[in-house]
Amino acid sequence: MRFLGIFALISLAEMATFFWVQSWIGLGWALGLAIATALIGSALVRRAGISVMDRFKGRVNQGELPTRELSDGAAVLVSGAFLISPGFITDILGFLLLLPRIRDLAYRFVSRRFSSRVAVFSSGGATRRARQNDYDQEVIDVEGYDVD
């Protein structure tokens, strides 16, 4: 129910913003601006997504946990959703999420908010709180076992 209320408020704000912009610059220019932000935004999201994916692969190849890259990837995904939706408010939010400094702030906020809720279990059964880049490096080789 809360989601529907937020969605309705965002929709109303987007319509009001569009009518305000079109009253200043005209309907044709407002539509053109909305289409241009979608096209420019999609190109920027593609570029940011490729960059995040390259960093993700590099961290995995180094044997490190790509926590930051997963966060950046989620932010770029949300940014893309904002940029393809019609409206100027969501476009602004989408462009902001493409900025590394804003993604860094979002990562810090989410990390602090959820770090107390995450527990890491080791193979020995011991429980400890998760920290950034804190994970078990134990490898279990299952070659030669019949799984049938």
Side-chain angles (χ1 to χ4, degrees):
M1 185 68 174
R2 183 183 293 172
F3 176 74
L4 291 176
I6 292 171
F7 185 74
L9 285 175
I10 290 173
S11 297
L12 288 173
E14 288 288 10
M15 285 189 287
T17 304
F18 185 82
F19 288 132
W20 179 74
V21 169
Q22 72 90 24
S23 73
W24 276 82
I25 64 174
L27 179 62
W29 286 104
L31 288 173
L33 184 60
I35 291 170
T37 58
L39 293 174
I40 293 168
S42 65
L44 292 174
V45 166
R46 183 176 186 274
R47 183 175 164 193
I50 290 171
S51 172
V52 168
M53 191 57 132
D54 288 343
R55 289 192 345 251
F56 178 88
K57 289 177 185 177
R59 292 286 294 252
V60 169
N61 288 339
Q62 293 173 357
E64 298 175 0
L65 191 62
T67 55
R68 180 58 194 262
E69 288 72 19
L70 288 172
S71 172
D72 283 352
V76 169
L77 182 67
V78 170
S79 172
F82 280 158
L83 287 166
I84 63 169
S85 66
F88 296 116
I89 297 171
T90 53
D91 285 348
I92 291 168
L93 293 173
F95 282 122
L96 285 174
L97 278 175
L98 288 176
L99 299 173
R101 179 72 180 141
I102 301 297
R103 288 197 312 249
D104 184 47
L105 291 172
Y107 175 76
R108 288 186 202 169
F109 174 77
V110 170
S111 295
R112 272 184 261 159
R113 182 157 170 96
F114 292 108
S115 66
S116 64
R117 298 181 187 188
V118 175
V120 176
F121 295 92
S122 67
S123 60
T127 305
R128 57 191 160 90
R129 289 286 170 210
R131 293 183 306 245
Q132 185 177 0
N133 295 329
D134 185 22
Y135 59 95
D136 289 335
Q137 295 182 5
E138 183 178 341
V139 176
I140 300 172
D141 187 8
V142 293
E143 191 174 325
Y145 290 99
D146 191 18
V147 184
D148 292 313

